[in-house]
Amino acid sequence: MTFKSVGLTARNDNKRAFELAEKLANYLEHKGISEVVDPEIAEHIGRAEAAVPLEEWRPDFIITVGGDGTILRTCIQIPKPEPPILAINMGERGFLTEVLPKDVIQAVDKCLNGKFLLEHCKKIAASADGEALPDALNEVFISADAPVKLLYANLWKNGERILDVRADGLLVASQTGSTGYSVAAGGPVLDPETDVFVMTPACPLTPFPPIVFPENSKLTVEIERPRTSLVVVDGCYRKLLEKRKPRVTITTSANVTSFIRFRKEFYGRLKSRLLYPKGRRC
Amino acid sequence: MTFKSVGLTARNDNKRAFELAEKLANYLEHKGISEVVDPEIAEHIGRAEAAVPLEEWRPDFIITVGGDGTILRTCIQIPKPEPPILAINMGERGFLTEVLPKDVIQAVDKCLNGKFLLEHCKKIAASADGEALPDALNEVFISADAPVKLLYANLWKNGERILDVRADGLLVASQTGSTGYSVAAGGPVLDPETDVFVMTPACPLTPFPPIVFPENSKLTVEIERPRTSLVVVDGCYRKLLEKRKPRVTITTSANVTSFIRFRKEFYGRLKSRLLYPKGRRC
Amino acid sequence: MTFKSVGLTARNDNKRAFELAEKLANYLEHKGISEVVDPEIAEHIGRAEAAVPLEEWRPDFIITVGGDGTILRTCIQIPKPEPPILAINMGERGFLTEVLPKDVIQAVDKCLNGKFLLEHCKKIAASADGEALPDALNEVFISADAPVKLLYANLWKNGERILDVRADGLLVASQTGSTGYSVAAGGPVLDPETDVFVMTPACPLTPFPPIVFPENSKLTVEIERPRTSLVVVDGCYRKLLEKRKPRVTITTSANVTSFIRFRKEFYGRLKSRLLYPKGRRC
Amino acid sequence: MTFKSVGLTARNDNKRAFELAEKLANYLEHKGISEVVDPEIAEHIGRAEAAVPLEEWRPDFIITVGGDGTILRTCIQIPKPEPPILAINMGERGFLTEVLPKDVIQAVDKCLNGKFLLEHCKKIAASADGEALPDALNEVFISADAPVKLLYANLWKNGERILDVRADGLLVASQTGSTGYSVAAGGPVLDPETDVFVMTPACPLTPFPPIVFPENSKLTVEIERPRTSLVVVDGCYRKLLEKRKPRVTITTSANVTSFIRFRKEFYGRLKSRLLYPKGRRC
């Protein structure tokens, strides 16, 4: 895998992120890598001419400067299949990010020299009343349209009615997402080599355990009440459901998100999250 | 305690509740009890002339026909101190209600003859940036203004900074409320004779136990983020907070809600909720 | 699958179970099925001559009269591979059992006529310091040798050190076991079609989520402290570990336990357990 | 409060604890304070002549060198009322301890000069079948006599039957203990100014929330099964119960344990436990 082009994005609310992104842009240009830049940051880093909407990106790899939120937003917008991501940690929440700002140039050099591992992360595919939603790297969340309204839902697995649940919300999380919002709601961690996803209720009215499903199963959530409900993908993409008894269908996506890593480290990152946690959402 | 006047309300979406309320209105009239009726139901039960806004009620006692939601909405609106409530169960969720529809006349007779116990329930008093909110019989809930946004809050007890917390929401519940939303979020049940309230985080980002405070302590929740947040009292009364870093102050109210009961039964009701649960919100 | 011989066992502390077992023995004899009988009950049901130790059983199928405990004890003792089990419910805890006493003859007839489904349940294989333990249908539990002593354990996955944990105990549960002790300790339910097992800590000193591993992974638990520890298989088989820093190795077994069922019903039984729970151990 | 005599104890498995205890003994002697020394450490620190069994101690104050376990064992043994404790942290688990080894002399000087606060910690009084057990600073734990055996218990509050519970164990914790084993089992933290105690089930068979009781209430736990059960006070004192259906009665003790503190700091210690936890038992 040889990288000749890069897509560059960064959180757009942080001067240090801009500075680092600019430094990276200069270095990559110097190395002869062609660049596309997130329009939201292009001007801030003096790259107005390289601005390309994320929906049109086709680079060989992507660099994100920020936290998990920056990655999640990027993955939702870019065309599939996704090029691998080098994630620079400049956010307070960084379960997915790896590279520290001080190590940025060294990390880019390793990338360009092909000295890295690829971590492939499974994603969750959801559709609402037949309309596909963006894949989730972390989780799909279903709730009422406002806080403190109970969600009444009926569950099907592969077309067979299995259970009913009443809760603040329902989370369906991937391996990656299992360490985030889902674990905060009481869900298990899914080892990255498992072939499953997990449904975790948030504040269920009566005790209701998380359930782990095989990745090829199709989970259908029929929303009985309230009249207006909400699906949120990775904390970023929100869709109101206003039809009567909408159905959200969830399974494992054919797509993956790939991260450029310099060591195998799922449990190392898990340990960091368990002991010195840094955050969960975008 | 002799009852000469009654306030009558009912859930306003249920024909059987109207019928029962009408039956009650007729019976009470026949017994010589003067009536004020919730304007939302007065016409439905042929009592348009008795319609009085709940904010102006001063009856000797109140009858609610419905579930917990009907009670909670009534308590939020009526002037303080609150007259005792006879709660008829005609809702699917009825932790607070006691009397079954078939026992209604018998229950009213016992009331008029003074053959009952009063169960006094402590309430939670909250204010947001100095402005008092209605007292909560169950709980005060603080969250971001929309689902899946993390709340960053700083906590003070009696003016002393104690802890920071990041969670979907924070619940501060009374003894009564401890069996409802709070227990769904992982909180303890508070025996009705305790002099405390409990703060329970909903889906905290990192594990954060519920904390039980003495009832005379003043808990202050400063909302660091997001920019717009929400306080909800008893699932009914919602207030958006749009100032910068608003502060919600919470303590035990001087007011109580009193229920007319025919036996002591907190743990009986708790058992029902634990084993054959019926619901939690309005 | 034609059944010509049966193994018959029952809980040994219940007169009604003996009576039902005797009725079954007579009926099966009448049908020309050859019988081996658990020595613990053989005399009670007038079948002293058919007594054969479970370790030597080789029948075509097995009937258990009792609760989950009766099944678990049977599975631990019988030779592998295990013949299918028809489980008669005569215990207060019956997640695994299906047939009610009144339906016994009808169920046996269906069995003999081949009119049934087989539910194959994965099992957990464990060894302690290289010595194999009986397979677990529900779970392998590791703890200190006495209550209220903290277990310090180091975890490896496929030979790679992953995490340390301090807890009252560690549970490693199958799909079947995920609905039992493991869920009581906060674990998720594993759909029976998943290819995983789950490790759930009991009362971890610091919050530690359950972790779901792929079924072909090898989990090693090294016990750092205390000096004497305990492994319990399915609540029945207990082994004290007295070497220094013993290692318990756990993976999915090549064996399964098969149940004779008359309908597909995992979620039906889960619902019963969630709403009208009956118990969990032998 | 002027201190003229001291009781000195230390963990007995740690050379550095002996050295520090010896240094303290020398310094206190030099200051003219009379000493009694725990017989378990007296010889190790060259104070064989000062050895006095803890059951006979009557010093003005106590110094413990070790972790929480050292404190808990000391409190269980010494006569009541207990003199105040200066707790030197030389254990990996130190929720109760405050003074670091390097600050020992300075802390002793402050003590002798009366420059300190007293933190009074409520204790739990329990009796088993009418026989008093030592008071618990942290918690009373009730379980079967061996791991993985379910406890069936019936609960009374002030003589009124309230609930039944089936669980691995039942914890009844004080404010101090609420941050220890109880929180690991899912219990709430009790603010030190509350007048309550909390009962937390460990791994309840069916979901059962912790319950907070008023401190003057009498909680009775009748053990239905198994035949032999166990009560453990503060993880140190163990008593087997072998009568039929024994009753353990629990309330708040008239005694307190007092700690010598140099600042008010409950929530500071709680924060440390929540974020960088060090342990929980003796």
Short mmCIF file of all heavy atoms in Angstrom, two decimals, chain C residues 162-211:
data_model
loop_
_atom_site.label_atom_id
_atom_site.label_comp_id
_atom_site.label_asym_id
_atom_site.label_seq_id
_atom_site.Cartn_x
_atom_site.Cartn_y
_atom_site.Cartn_z
N ILE C 162 -3.73 -9.37 28.59
CA ILE C 162 -4.62 -8.28 28.20
C ILE C 162 -5.03 -7.37 29.36
O ILE C 162 -4.93 -6.17 29.25
CB ILE C 162 -5.88 -8.80 27.46
CG1 ILE C 162 -6.60 -9.90 28.24
CG2 ILE C 162 -5.54 -9.30 26.06
CD1 ILE C 162 -7.99 -10.25 27.69
N LEU C 163 -5.43 -7.92 30.47
CA LEU C 163 -5.95 -7.07 31.53
C LEU C 163 -5.73 -7.74 32.89
O LEU C 163 -5.53 -8.95 32.97
CB LEU C 163 -7.47 -6.86 31.36
CG LEU C 163 -7.94 -6.08 30.14
CD1 LEU C 163 -9.43 -6.26 29.95
CD2 LEU C 163 -7.62 -4.59 30.29
N ASP C 164 -5.80 -6.95 33.95
CA ASP C 164 -5.83 -7.47 35.32
C ASP C 164 -7.20 -7.15 35.90
O ASP C 164 -7.81 -6.16 35.52
CB ASP C 164 -4.77 -6.79 36.19
CG ASP C 164 -3.39 -6.95 35.60
OD1 ASP C 164 -3.21 -7.81 34.74
OD2 ASP C 164 -2.50 -6.18 36.00
N VAL C 165 -7.62 -7.94 36.84
CA VAL C 165 -8.92 -7.66 37.43
C VAL C 165 -8.92 -8.09 38.89
O VAL C 165 -8.25 -9.07 39.27
CB VAL C 165 -10.05 -8.38 36.63
CG1 VAL C 165 -9.86 -9.88 36.62
CG2 VAL C 165 -11.42 -8.02 37.16
N ARG C 166 -9.60 -7.33 39.72
CA ARG C 166 -9.80 -7.71 41.11
C ARG C 166 -11.30 -7.72 41.36
O ARG C 166 -11.99 -6.73 41.10
CB ARG C 166 -9.14 -6.70 42.04
CG ARG C 166 -7.63 -6.70 41.87
CD ARG C 166 -6.96 -5.83 42.91
NE ARG C 166 -6.34 -4.68 42.31
CZ ARG C 166 -5.84 -3.65 42.98
NH1 ARG C 166 -5.90 -3.65 44.30
NH2 ARG C 166 -5.29 -2.65 42.36
N ALA C 167 -11.78 -8.82 41.83
CA ALA C 167 -13.23 -8.99 41.96
C ALA C 167 -13.51 -10.10 42.95
O ALA C 167 -12.61 -10.84 43.34
CB ALA C 167 -13.84 -9.34 40.61
N ASP C 168 -14.76 -10.22 43.37
CA ASP C 168 -15.17 -11.36 44.18
C ASP C 168 -14.96 -12.65 43.42
O ASP C 168 -14.57 -13.67 43.99
CB ASP C 168 -16.66 -11.24 44.52
CG ASP C 168 -16.89 -10.50 45.81
OD1 ASP C 168 -15.95 -9.86 46.30
OD2 ASP C 168 -18.02 -10.55 46.32
N GLY C 169 -15.25 -12.60 42.12
CA GLY C 169 -15.10 -13.80 41.32
C GLY C 169 -15.15 -13.46 39.85
O GLY C 169 -15.49 -12.34 39.47
N LEU C 170 -14.81 -14.44 39.04
CA LEU C 170 -14.90 -14.30 37.59
C LEU C 170 -15.77 -15.42 37.07
O LEU C 170 -15.54 -16.59 37.39
CB LEU C 170 -13.52 -14.42 36.93
CG LEU C 170 -12.57 -13.26 37.06
CD1 LEU C 170 -11.30 -13.57 36.28
CD2 LEU C 170 -13.20 -11.98 36.53
N LEU C 171 -16.72 -15.08 36.23
CA LEU C 171 -17.60 -16.05 35.61
C LEU C 171 -17.29 -16.11 34.13
O LEU C 171 -17.24 -15.07 33.47
CB LEU C 171 -19.03 -15.55 35.73
CG LEU C 171 -19.70 -15.73 37.05
CD1 LEU C 171 -20.70 -14.61 37.26
CD2 LEU C 171 -20.42 -17.06 37.02
N VAL C 172 -17.14 -17.31 33.60
CA VAL C 172 -17.06 -17.45 32.14
C VAL C 172 -18.25 -18.30 31.72
O VAL C 172 -18.35 -19.47 32.10
CB VAL C 172 -15.73 -18.06 31.70
CG1 VAL C 172 -15.67 -18.14 30.18
CG2 VAL C 172 -14.56 -17.22 32.22
N ALA C 173 -19.15 -17.69 30.97
CA ALA C 173 -20.43 -18.32 30.70
C ALA C 173 -20.64 -18.57 29.21
O ALA C 173 -20.18 -17.82 28.36
CB ALA C 173 -21.57 -17.45 31.23
N SER C 174 -21.36 -19.64 28.95
CA SER C 174 -21.83 -19.98 27.60
C SER C 174 -23.09 -19.18 27.28
O SER C 174 -23.61 -18.43 28.11
CB SER C 174 -22.17 -21.46 27.56
OG SER C 174 -23.32 -21.68 28.38
N GLN C 175 -23.61 -19.40 26.09
CA GLN C 175 -24.91 -18.82 25.72
C GLN C 175 -25.97 -19.22 26.74
O GLN C 175 -26.71 -18.37 27.25
CB GLN C 175 -25.33 -19.34 24.33
CG GLN C 175 -24.59 -18.73 23.16
CD GLN C 175 -23.15 -19.23 23.05
OE1 GLN C 175 -22.77 -20.20 23.71
NE2 GLN C 175 -22.35 -18.56 22.24
N THR C 176 -26.03 -20.50 27.04
CA THR C 176 -27.02 -20.99 28.01
C THR C 176 -26.79 -20.33 29.37
O THR C 176 -27.72 -19.83 30.00
CB THR C 176 -26.92 -22.52 28.14
OG1 THR C 176 -27.02 -23.09 26.84
CG2 THR C 176 -28.01 -23.08 29.03
N GLY C 177 -25.55 -20.33 29.81
CA GLY C 177 -25.23 -19.78 31.13
C GLY C 177 -25.36 -18.27 31.20
O GLY C 177 -25.48 -17.72 32.29
N SER C 178 -25.37 -17.62 30.04
CA SER C 178 -25.45 -16.15 30.07
C SER C 178 -26.76 -15.68 30.68
O SER C 178 -26.85 -14.54 31.12
CB SER C 178 -25.28 -15.58 28.66
OG SER C 178 -26.44 -15.80 27.86
N THR C 179 -27.76 -16.54 30.70
CA THR C 179 -29.05 -16.13 31.26
C THR C 179 -29.15 -16.46 32.75
O THR C 179 -30.20 -16.23 33.36
CB THR C 179 -30.21 -16.87 30.55
OG1 THR C 179 -30.05 -18.27 30.81
CG2 THR C 179 -30.18 -16.64 29.06
N GLY C 180 -28.07 -17.02 33.32
CA GLY C 180 -28.14 -17.47 34.69
C GLY C 180 -27.32 -16.61 35.64
O GLY C 180 -27.60 -15.42 35.82
N TYR C 181 -26.33 -17.21 36.22
CA TYR C 181 -25.51 -16.51 37.21
C TYR C 181 -24.87 -15.27 36.58
O TYR C 181 -24.79 -14.20 37.19
CB TYR C 181 -24.43 -17.47 37.70
CG TYR C 181 -23.68 -17.09 38.95
CD1 TYR C 181 -22.71 -17.95 39.47
CD2 TYR C 181 -23.91 -15.91 39.63
CE1 TYR C 181 -22.01 -17.65 40.61
CE2 TYR C 181 -23.20 -15.59 40.77
CZ TYR C 181 -22.25 -16.46 41.26
OH TYR C 181 -21.54 -16.14 42.39
N SER C 182 -24.44 -15.40 35.35
CA SER C 182 -23.73 -14.30 34.69
C SER C 182 -24.60 -13.06 34.59
O SER C 182 -24.12 -11.93 34.81
CB SER C 182 -23.26 -14.76 33.31
OG SER C 182 -22.63 -13.71 32.62
N VAL C 183 -25.87 -13.22 34.24
CA VAL C 183 -26.73 -12.05 34.11
C VAL C 183 -26.97 -11.43 35.49
O VAL C 183 -27.10 -10.20 35.62
CB VAL C 183 -28.04 -12.40 33.36
CG1 VAL C 183 -29.11 -12.93 34.27
CG2 VAL C 183 -28.57 -11.21 32.57
N ALA C 184 -26.96 -12.25 36.52
CA ALA C 184 -27.10 -11.72 37.88
C ALA C 184 -25.91 -10.87 38.28
O ALA C 184 -26.01 -9.95 39.08
CB ALA C 184 -27.28 -12.87 38.88
N ALA C 185 -24.76 -11.16 37.68
CA ALA C 185 -23.56 -10.39 37.96
C ALA C 185 -23.41 -9.20 37.01
O ALA C 185 -22.41 -8.49 37.06
CB ALA C 185 -22.32 -11.28 37.88
N GLY C 186 -24.40 -8.98 36.15
CA GLY C 186 -24.36 -7.83 35.26
C GLY C 186 -23.95 -8.17 33.83
O GLY C 186 -23.69 -7.26 33.04
N GLY C 187 -23.89 -9.44 33.50
CA GLY C 187 -23.47 -9.84 32.16
C GLY C 187 -24.59 -9.71 31.13
O GLY C 187 -25.76 -9.61 31.48
N PRO C 188 -24.21 -9.73 29.85
CA PRO C 188 -25.19 -9.68 28.77
C PRO C 188 -25.76 -11.06 28.50
O PRO C 188 -25.16 -12.07 28.87
CB PRO C 188 -24.35 -9.23 27.57
CG PRO C 188 -23.02 -9.88 27.83
CD PRO C 188 -22.83 -9.81 29.33
N VAL C 189 -26.90 -11.11 27.85
CA VAL C 189 -27.41 -12.37 27.31
C VAL C 189 -26.76 -12.61 25.96
O VAL C 189 -26.64 -11.68 25.15
CB VAL C 189 -28.95 -12.29 27.18
CG1 VAL C 189 -29.48 -13.45 26.35
CG2 VAL C 189 -29.59 -12.30 28.56
N LEU C 190 -26.30 -13.82 25.73
CA LEU C 190 -25.70 -14.19 24.45
C LEU C 190 -26.74 -14.97 23.64
O LEU C 190 -27.19 -16.04 24.07
CB LEU C 190 -24.47 -15.07 24.65
CG LEU C 190 -23.36 -14.52 25.56
CD1 LEU C 190 -22.24 -15.54 25.69
CD2 LEU C 190 -22.81 -13.20 25.04
N ASP C 191 -27.12 -14.43 22.51
CA ASP C 191 -28.02 -15.16 21.61
C ASP C 191 -27.43 -16.54 21.32
O ASP C 191 -26.21 -16.67 21.13
CB ASP C 191 -28.18 -14.35 20.32
CG ASP C 191 -29.12 -15.02 19.34
OD1 ASP C 191 -28.65 -15.92 18.60
OD2 ASP C 191 -30.29 -14.66 19.30
N PRO C 192 -28.27 -17.60 21.28
CA PRO C 192 -27.72 -18.95 21.11
C PRO C 192 -26.99 -19.16 19.78
O PRO C 192 -26.22 -20.11 19.66
CB PRO C 192 -28.95 -19.86 21.21
CG PRO C 192 -30.14 -18.97 21.18
CD PRO C 192 -29.71 -17.60 21.54
N GLU C 193 -27.21 -18.29 18.83
CA GLU C 193 -26.50 -18.46 17.55
C GLU C 193 -25.17 -17.72 17.48
O GLU C 193 -24.51 -17.72 16.45
CB GLU C 193 -27.41 -18.02 16.40
CG GLU C 193 -28.64 -18.92 16.29
CD GLU C 193 -29.56 -18.52 15.16
OE1 GLU C 193 -30.12 -17.40 15.21
OE2 GLU C 193 -29.73 -19.33 14.23
N THR C 194 -24.77 -17.07 18.55
CA THR C 194 -23.46 -16.40 18.54
C THR C 194 -22.33 -17.41 18.73
O THR C 194 -22.54 -18.48 19.31
CB THR C 194 -23.36 -15.36 19.68
OG1 THR C 194 -23.68 -16.02 20.92
CG2 THR C 194 -24.31 -14.21 19.46
N ASP C 195 -21.16 -17.04 18.25
CA ASP C 195 -19.97 -17.90 18.39
C ASP C 195 -19.00 -17.26 19.38
O ASP C 195 -17.88 -16.90 19.03
CB ASP C 195 -19.29 -18.06 17.02
CG ASP C 195 -20.17 -18.80 16.03
OD1 ASP C 195 -20.99 -19.63 16.48
OD2 ASP C 195 -20.04 -18.54 14.83
N VAL C 196 -19.44 -17.13 20.60
CA VAL C 196 -18.69 -16.38 21.61
C VAL C 196 -18.90 -17.01 22.99
O VAL C 196 -19.74 -17.88 23.17
CB VAL C 196 -19.17 -14.91 21.68
CG1 VAL C 196 -18.91 -14.18 20.36
CG2 VAL C 196 -20.66 -14.83 22.05
N PHE C 197 -18.12 -16.56 23.95
CA PHE C 197 -18.46 -16.76 25.36
C PHE C 197 -18.22 -15.45 26.08
O PHE C 197 -17.63 -14.53 25.51
CB PHE C 197 -17.69 -17.94 25.98
CG PHE C 197 -16.20 -17.86 25.92
CD1 PHE C 197 -15.47 -17.09 26.82
CD2 PHE C 197 -15.50 -18.58 24.95
CE1 PHE C 197 -14.08 -17.04 26.77
CE2 PHE C 197 -14.10 -18.53 24.89
CZ PHE C 197 -13.39 -17.76 25.80
N VAL C 198 -18.67 -15.33 27.30
CA VAL C 198 -18.55 -14.05 28.01
C VAL C 198 -17.89 -14.25 29.36
O VAL C 198 -18.16 -15.22 30.07
CB VAL C 198 -19.93 -13.36 28.17
CG1 VAL C 198 -20.88 -14.18 29.02
CG2 VAL C 198 -19.77 -11.97 28.77
N MET C 199 -16.99 -13.33 29.68
CA MET C 199 -16.40 -13.30 31.03
C MET C 199 -17.02 -12.15 31.80
O MET C 199 -16.90 -10.99 31.39
CB MET C 199 -14.89 -13.10 30.94
CG MET C 199 -14.23 -13.18 32.32
SD MET C 199 -12.58 -12.43 32.38
CE MET C 199 -13.03 -10.69 32.38
N THR C 200 -17.64 -12.46 32.91
CA THR C 200 -18.32 -11.45 33.72
C THR C 200 -17.72 -11.44 35.12
O THR C 200 -17.74 -12.46 35.79
CB THR C 200 -19.83 -11.77 33.82
OG1 THR C 200 -20.35 -11.96 32.51
CG2 THR C 200 -20.58 -10.67 34.52
N PRO C 201 -17.17 -10.31 35.57
CA PRO C 201 -16.67 -10.27 36.95
C PRO C 201 -17.83 -10.09 37.92
O PRO C 201 -18.80 -9.41 37.61
CB PRO C 201 -15.77 -9.04 36.95
CG PRO C 201 -16.29 -8.16 35.85
CD PRO C 201 -16.94 -9.05 34.84
N ALA C 202 -17.74 -10.73 39.07
CA ALA C 202 -18.73 -10.53 40.14
C ALA C 202 -18.18 -9.51 41.13
O ALA C 202 -17.09 -9.71 41.67
CB ALA C 202 -19.02 -11.85 40.85
N CYS C 203 -18.91 -8.42 41.33
CA CYS C 203 -18.49 -7.37 42.27
C CYS C 203 -17.03 -6.96 42.07
O CYS C 203 -16.23 -7.05 43.01
CB CYS C 203 -18.71 -7.79 43.72
SG CYS C 203 -20.42 -8.14 44.12
N PRO C 204 -16.68 -6.48 40.89
CA PRO C 204 -15.29 -6.04 40.70
C PRO C 204 -14.97 -4.85 41.60
O PRO C 204 -15.82 -3.98 41.80
CB PRO C 204 -15.24 -5.64 39.22
CG PRO C 204 -16.64 -5.32 38.86
CD PRO C 204 -17.51 -6.22 39.70
N LEU C 205 -13.75 -4.86 42.12
CA LEU C 205 -13.33 -3.80 43.05
C LEU C 205 -13.48 -2.44 42.40
O LEU C 205 -13.96 -1.49 43.01
CB LEU C 205 -11.87 -4.05 43.41
CG LEU C 205 -11.21 -3.01 44.29
CD1 LEU C 205 -11.93 -2.91 45.61
CD2 LEU C 205 -9.75 -3.35 44.50
N THR C 206 -13.02 -2.32 41.16
CA THR C 206 -13.27 -1.11 40.39
C THR C 206 -14.04 -1.53 39.15
O THR C 206 -13.87 -2.65 38.68
CB THR C 206 -11.96 -0.43 39.99
OG1 THR C 206 -11.17 -1.35 39.25
CG2 THR C 206 -11.18 0.00 41.22
N PRO C 207 -14.87 -0.64 38.65
CA PRO C 207 -15.77 -1.06 37.57
C PRO C 207 -15.01 -1.73 36.43
O PRO C 207 -13.97 -1.25 35.98
CB PRO C 207 -16.38 0.29 37.13
CG PRO C 207 -16.37 1.12 38.36
CD PRO C 207 -15.09 0.76 39.06
N PHE C 208 -15.54 -2.84 36.00
CA PHE C 208 -14.90 -3.67 34.99
C PHE C 208 -16.01 -4.34 34.20
O PHE C 208 -16.74 -5.16 34.75
CB PHE C 208 -14.03 -4.71 35.71
CG PHE C 208 -13.06 -5.43 34.82
CD1 PHE C 208 -11.72 -5.11 34.85
CD2 PHE C 208 -13.48 -6.43 33.95
CE1 PHE C 208 -10.80 -5.77 34.03
CE2 PHE C 208 -12.58 -7.09 33.13
CZ PHE C 208 -11.23 -6.77 33.17
N PRO C 209 -16.17 -4.01 32.94
CA PRO C 209 -17.32 -4.54 32.21
C PRO C 209 -17.14 -6.01 31.87
O PRO C 209 -16.02 -6.51 31.81
CB PRO C 209 -17.33 -3.70 30.93
CG PRO C 209 -15.92 -3.29 30.74
CD PRO C 209 -15.33 -3.14 32.12
N PRO C 210 -18.25 -6.72 31.63
CA PRO C 210 -18.15 -8.05 31.05
C PRO C 210 -17.46 -7.94 29.69
O PRO C 210 -17.59 -6.92 29.01
CB PRO C 210 -19.62 -8.45 30.87
CG PRO C 210 -20.41 -7.54 31.74
CD PRO C 210 -19.64 -6.28 31.83
N ILE C 211 -16.72 -8.98 29.30
CA ILE C 211 -16.05 -8.97 27.99
C ILE C 211 -16.49 -10.22 27.23
O ILE C 211 -16.49 -11.33 27.76
CB ILE C 211 -14.53 -8.95 28.13
CG1 ILE C 211 -14.09 -7.72 28.95
CG2 ILE C 211 -13.86 -8.90 26.75
CD1 ILE C 211 -12.58 -7.58 29.13
#
